[in-house]
Amino acid sequence: MSFTEKAKNKAQQLTGVAKERIGDVTDNERMRGEGATDQSTARARQGVENAGRRARDVFR
């Protein structure tokens, strides 16, 4: 994962946190859901990257 991709991933995760908190404050279920989805997507991408890196390390 390139630096740019990592930065985009982190930005999406932080955006998700912000959306979820705004949804909590405003009692907006849709915003909470979008925030949770953004965070989950970012975590999944990071998990795939970590798994790929570990697999490469095993086969070296």
Side-chain angles (χ1 to χ4, degrees):
M1 186 178 277
S2 71
F3 175 77
T4 304
E5 291 171 340
K6 287 180 182 180
K8 286 179 182 179
N9 191 41
K10 192 60 160 175
Q12 183 179 19
Q13 186 176 9
L14 294 174
T15 300
V17 169
K19 282 182 180 180
E20 193 169 19
R21 291 199 178 147
I22 290 169
D24 286 340
V25 171
T26 61
D27 199 31
N28 184 333
E29 285 294 322
R30 181 174 157 212
M31 185 73 77
R32 275 187 219 148
E34 287 178 12
T37 300
D38 286 348
Q39 290 178 67
S40 296
T41 302
R43 278 192 227 116
R45 285 186 186 146
Q46 186 61 40
V48 168
E49 172 60 24
N50 289 341
R53 188 177 329 120
R54 288 185 187 125
R56 283 190 300 271
D57 290 344
V58 167
F59 293 111
R60 284 186 181 185

